[in-house]
Each structure stands twice: as structure tokens, then as C-alpha cells.
Amino acid sequence: MPFAQIYMLEGRTEEQKRAVIEKVTQALVDAIDAPQQNVRVWIHELPKENWGIAGQTAKSLGR
């Protein structure tokens, strides 16, 4: 059972997250011939104040 974990900053729409899940699933099906029904995708949404870039939070950088 292929299991993909995606980390990204909060703020994406449900539609965008759905697209990520669909495309990552299809990529695994294509790359390793995994049955689609066996693929799992987990999106971790991180608060912008919990993500650091060059010594600052993503929130303070306006990301």
C-alpha cells in the first residue's frame, strides 16, 4: 500500500487539496503500477507560524 505524506502551509482550498490527492495518487499508479484503491495520501497542513524560512516564520514573511 503506497502511502504519500504531503506537508504544506495552511490556506489551500478544499478543491486544491482534492487536486493534490488526485494527482499524487495518479503519479503513484503510473510510476509503480500500484492499484489506485491501495494508494493513500495524507496532507499535513502546517500553521504559517510553525514553518521557518531563513530564520523567520512564513507568517512573518507574508507567505
Side-chain angles (χ1 to χ4, degrees):
M1 172 178 71
F3 180 67
Q5 295 184 65
I6 310 295
Y7 290 85
M8 58 187 180
L9 294 174
E10 63 188 354
R12 290 352 187 269
T13 66
E14 186 175 337
E15 182 177 290
Q16 289 172 317
K17 290 183 272 187
R18 187 178 301 116
V20 167
I21 291 169
E22 289 173 8
K23 291 174 189 252
V24 169
T25 297
Q26 191 59 50
L28 286 167
V29 168
D30 294 343
I32 63 172
D33 201 27
Q36 183 173 353
Q37 66 272 16
N38 290 353
V39 176
R40 305 293 186 265
V41 179
W42 182 10
I43 295 176
H44 300 269
E45 286 191 289
L46 303 167
K48 294 177 181 185
E49 62 270 11
N50 289 0
W51 190 270
I53 303 168
Q56 298 182 55
T57 67
K59 184 177 182 177
S60 69
L61 292 171
R63 302 267 173 121

